[in-house]
């Protein structure tokens, strides 16, 4: 087992990474009160809920099962968590435990931030995407019909438990979606990690435990380093949104849940790389390298055919990164170095948006 | 005009108190971005919305009008604020402005805490209760069918504007409800202020501007002092809940909005005083003094006749102050000195709960 500490002063917390961690009673020290509410979904609960419920001897342990999918990540379904907490009379010393992917984590985190104006929570992410992304950094929230993640809070967990063996049951598509975020860390922050990913991609897709553990560790480490510098996302943290402005537009257009978040981010990262190449910051060879890595990870490399340039602009205009009317994007100054900037030509953005299947070249 | 600063380090903010403040362009310096969303309700908007909308020249100013009343203080109606923000494309530099009583303030504050994980907000309270209570301290939130204020956040405003002239249009019952909270500050913290209230009560009920301004200033000052010591309610701040555990039970039993919050707190404070007298901390003469002051303020001095002891216990058991099974109450060590304690006899609490119309004596 490896342990990584996210350094946020009094809000610091550990991430445990390794095999078989669900059975090791690691979480009990992070439960302060006498009540625990485990939140899971219909897919994950049958696999791991019983095991997790055993980990809190001496506590009042309750659970609530949500429907599975981004389509249910809304205020109405967060209210099911509040219902369960109040029906079981959980008080403000309770601890919520999120057992599931990013959707369960985001909803549980927001419920924890809001229940009685804030209670503790623990993350037990069961997808690669949530292990490397949504379990680190304290962002919680739900979607609104007019925009993704528009309602939420910053709320840090007490601990995160990333058990690599649970990835064995993950569908192929979700593994690829998680790899999109892993690739993102390489693209924005670490060219060497990107090199390693190119060689390790076959092992990762074959779910080699050691390769996965390293990918998770290094991804969390990069994210933790960035979050520690900028907990409330006023600056450098926005780098973590590489591909997300484009990706959110795709998800909104297609309806939440039809494209997986990681798939949309994968296509979005290639769009960001394409625009970066048009600005001359990276070369066409590097752009092609990004495309090949995404393909190797099993990710889409083009937005939906039905999405026009106008539709992208319309949806990107409500993005959180719109600062007083200026669209800011995360682009690549080089491979391994992201930059948040509004300094790109509008016509080059339009050229990127109409690329369709040809994002891997600019000629 | 008087200005009081609530001292919370980087989250410090001013409260402006006085006549005619709605017309004085005081708020513009507290709007950081270029967008303003004023949230009001059907009762207050026709009176003051147009005036307030004039106070933000050069900004994109939008508004959303909620139905009036505690019965609408829920997640569903907070969602109307999110709808308006997204429809008008407000970004994370927007400022929400709450124009109304405590319900509008609590809902707007929670919307501000949650919209895009937190945006700025300003309070313009239009009732005595919200001027002396909910506009100070950063508590925001909504009700759940199983408990009051169970969903919310701590979120401090950028500024509060308490215009005393708007109290001229306040219904008699709401003025009395506000006076309940004013009396509370005397009971928990300031015996001299309590003396002043006894002599000034006729002037306050006649809406004498100077008397009201002093009552608001001193109430906010006491609350600000207590909140500054304990922003997240881990200790002394709980004193501000004098009468609230009993009062919340009354409100929940009667259905939100049938008893005004201040009315329920008024009866609840007398219940707390009654229990304090049974414990021998205050004398019967002082208990009677509390009852007389509440009567002079036009407040109820008994819970609803239909509420049994068992019903109180049932509803008080989900209160936020239930710490791991021990019911803690705010009681009076003497007039002007509140105490948060679980150190009272259960049978004395039961005696208080069955007092009915006789809370003003213990013999």
């Amino acid at each position: 087992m490896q342990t990584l500490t996210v350094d946020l002063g009094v809000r610091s917390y550990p991430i445990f990474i390794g095999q078989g961690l669900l059975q090791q009673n690691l979480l009990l020290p992070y439960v302060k009160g006498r009540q625990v509410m485990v939140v899971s979904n219909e897919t994950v609960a049958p696999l791991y809920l019983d095991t997790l419920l055993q980990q809190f001897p001496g506590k009042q342990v309750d659970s609530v099962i949500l429907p599975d999918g981004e389509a249910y990540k809304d205020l109405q379904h967060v209210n099911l968590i509040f219902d369960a907490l109040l029906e079981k009379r959980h008080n403000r010393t309770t601890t919520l435990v999120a057992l599931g992917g990013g959707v369960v984590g985001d909803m549980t985190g927001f419920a924890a931030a809001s229940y009685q104006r804030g209670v503790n929570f623990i993350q037990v992410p069961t997808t690669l995407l949530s292990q490397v992304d949504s379990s680190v950094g304290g962002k919680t929230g739900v979607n609104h019909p007019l925009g993704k993640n528009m309602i939420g809070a910053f709320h840090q967990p007490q601990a995160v438990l990333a058990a690599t063996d649970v990835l064995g049951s993950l569908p192929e598509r979700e593994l690829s979606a998680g790899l999109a975020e892993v690739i993102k860390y390489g693209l924005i922050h670490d060219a060497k990690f990107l090199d390693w990913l190119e060689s390790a991609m076959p092992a990762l897709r074959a779910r080699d435990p050691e390769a996965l553990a390293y990918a998770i560790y290094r991804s969390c480490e990069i994210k933790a380093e960035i979050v520690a510098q900028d907990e409330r996302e006023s600056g450098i943290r926005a780098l973590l949104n590489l591909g997300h402005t484009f990706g959110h537009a795709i998800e909104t257009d297609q309806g939440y849940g039809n494209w997986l978040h990681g798939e949309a981010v994968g296509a979005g990262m290639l769009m960001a790389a394409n625009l970066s190449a048009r600005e001359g910051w990276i070369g066409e060879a590097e752009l092609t390298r990004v495309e090949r890595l995404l393909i190797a990870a099993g990710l889409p490399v083009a937005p939906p055919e039905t999405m026009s340039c106008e539709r992208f602009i319309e949806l990107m205009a409500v993005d959180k990164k719109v600062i007083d009317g200026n669209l800011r994007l995360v682009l690549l100054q080089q491979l391994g170095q992201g930059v948040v900037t509004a300094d790109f030509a509008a016509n080059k953005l339009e050229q990127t948006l109409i690329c369709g299947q040809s994002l891997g070249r600019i000629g």
Side-chain angles (χ1 to χ4, degrees), chain A residues 3-16 30 32 120-121 135-137 155-160 224 227-228 231:
Chain A
T3 305
L4 188 70
T5 300
V6 181
D7 184 9
L8 297 168
V10 293
R11 286 184 300 284
S12 297
Y13 62 90
I15 305 175
F16 304 113
Y30 298 90
K32 306 296 179 202
N120 286 346
F121 87 117
S135 63
V136 186
H155 195 58
Q156 304 295 343
Q158 308 306 113
V160 176
V227 167
E231 191 179 351

Side-chain angles (χ1 to χ4, degrees), chain A residues 16-255:
Chain A
F16 304 113
I17 303 165
Q19 297 271 68
L21 302 189
L22 268 184
Q23 293 83 11
Q24 294 180 24
N25 269 305
L26 288 163
L27 297 179
L28 197 58
Y30 298 90
V31 174
K32 306 296 179 202
R34 64 176 179 83
Q35 297 175 307
V36 173
M37 176 66 74
V38 180
V39 182
S40 192
N41 70 31
E42 294 165 343
T43 308
V44 174
L47 301 172
Y48 308 114
L49 181 60
D50 283 348
T51 304
L52 189 61
L53 293 179
Q54 309 298 316
Q55 305 302 305
F56 307 102
K59 306 290 180 183
Q60 174 194 334
V61 187
D62 298 300
S63 61
V64 55
I65 312 297
L66 304 173
D68 184 12
E70 181 94 20
Y72 304 102
K73 186 174 142 179
D74 56 24
L75 271 185
Q76 189 185 339
H77 287 86
V78 166
N79 208 28
L80 296 177
I81 305 175
F82 296 135
D83 289 346
L85 287 165
L86 285 160
E87 277 159 16
K88 300 292 186 180
R89 304 205 162 189
H90 282 241
N91 63 45
R92 61 166 62 160
T93 68
T94 191
T95 298
L96 274 61
V97 180
L99 174 69
V103 170
V104 167
D106 284 2
M107 293 172 77
T108 305
F110 182 52
S114 306
Y115 186 61
Q116 303 209 16
R117 300 196 187 92
V119 299
N120 286 346
F121 87 117
I122 289 170
Q123 298 258 31
V124 184
T126 59
T127 64
L128 179 59
L129 183 111
S130 56
Q131 290 180 349
V132 300
D133 178 42
S134 50
S135 63
V136 186
K139 280 192 182 183
T140 71
V142 296
N143 300 325
H144 182 282
L146 296 176
K148 203 172 138 63
N149 290 325
M150 282 291 156
I151 302 161
F154 285 96
H155 195 58
Q156 304 295 343
Q158 308 306 113
V160 176
L161 193 149
T164 49
D165 41 333
V166 304
L167 302 181
S169 60
L170 201 64
E172 191 76 12
R173 232 182 114 185
E174 294 205 29
L175 185 75
S176 293
L179 289 170
E181 297 281 350
V182 174
I183 291 168
K184 181 189 78 178
Y185 296 112
L187 286 172
I188 59 172
H189 195 73
D190 187 346
K192 279 190 186 165
F193 185 48
L194 206 63
D195 295 342
W196 178 82
L197 283 172
E198 286 178 318
S199 61
M201 196 51 77
L204 290 167
R205 293 197 68 191
R207 308 183 196 213
D208 175 83
E210 283 191 23
L212 282 172
Y214 178 70
I216 295 165
Y217 188 89
R218 183 62 189 139
S219 294
C220 289
E221 193 173 43
I222 292 172
K223 181 158 186 181
E225 187 187 320
I226 291 173
V227 167
Q229 288 177 52
D230 181 19
E231 191 179 351
R232 307 288 299 204
E233 195 170 334
S234 45
I236 176 179
R237 182 165 174 168
L239 287 181
L240 297 171
N241 291 324
L242 175 68
H244 283 59
T245 303
F246 298 105
H248 284 176
I250 294 172
E251 285 180 274
T252 304
D253 178 77
Q254 297 288 300

Side-chain angles (χ1 to χ4, degrees), chain A residues 235-292:
Chain A
I236 176 179
R237 182 165 174 168
L239 287 181
L240 297 171
N241 291 324
L242 175 68
H244 283 59
T245 303
F246 298 105
H248 284 176
I250 294 172
E251 285 180 274
T252 304
D253 178 77
Q254 297 288 300
Y256 297 134
N258 292 312
W259 275 55
L260 296 178
H261 174 67
E263 291 172 335
V265 167
M269 289 194 297
L270 191 57
M271 297 177 83
N274 182 284
L275 180 50
S276 306
R278 283 181 197 282
E279 287 291 349
W281 301 338
I282 64 172
E284 185 146 1
E286 291 163 303
L287 175 60
T288 305
R289 221 183 122 188
V290 176
E291 185 184 40
R292 284 194 188 139

